[in-house]
Amino acid sequence: MPSMNQWDLLSFDKFAHFSQFCILIFLMIVGFHKQHTFTSLRFYPFRTSMGIGIGYSIMLEIVQLLANTGRSFDSADAMANILGCFGGLLIFYLIYKI
């Protein structure tokens, strides 16, 4: 196990991952909720958005691992992405449901 400083988890990089996925999920939920073409997306925007966001987060890290570009799989980045997904869900709930 590589040693990790607890302050590495609060770096600007992790904040950028968190905020990008937070915005992504918030906008997906709003878009799915307001559209009228696909009823399943309209009635299940949370489930669909979270599935897409978490799947995309994991896929991004796996592609970084498999691509020979010098980048690697970083579980802390994936965790920041997934927490950002839940943050976007929370922001939607706070704005539209309360």
Side-chain angles (χ1 to χ4, degrees):
M1 288 288 290
S3 63
M4 181 180 239
N5 186 359
Q6 71 233 21
W7 295 108
D8 289 340
L9 296 175
L10 297 175
S11 67
F12 178 76
D13 178 53
K14 303 305 179 257
F15 177 73
H17 282 273
F18 177 85
S19 61
Q20 287 174 349
F21 273 81
C22 193
I23 293 168
L24 173 72
I25 294 299
F26 173 75
L27 293 176
M28 271 202 298
I29 292 172
V30 170
F32 288 157
H33 187 68
K34 291 188 177 197
Q35 61 87 26
H36 295 286
T37 305
F38 301 102
T39 56
S40 62
L41 292 177
R42 179 167 172 75
F43 292 116
Y44 302 108
F46 306 114
R47 186 183 312 165
T48 306
S49 298
M50 293 299 285
I52 291 171
I54 291 172
Y56 183 63
S57 169
I58 294 170
M59 184 192 67
L60 271 174
E61 295 302 322
I62 290 173
V63 166
Q64 286 182 21
L65 175 68
L66 298 176
N68 199 8
T69 60
R71 300 190 62 142
S72 63
F73 184 89
D74 188 6
S75 60
D77 284 350
M79 185 58 64
N81 295 343
I82 292 170
L83 289 174
C85 291
F86 285 104
L89 181 67
L90 178 67
I91 289 173
F92 176 83
Y93 181 77
L94 291 174
I95 291 174
Y96 284 97
K97 298 296 181 180
I98 291 181

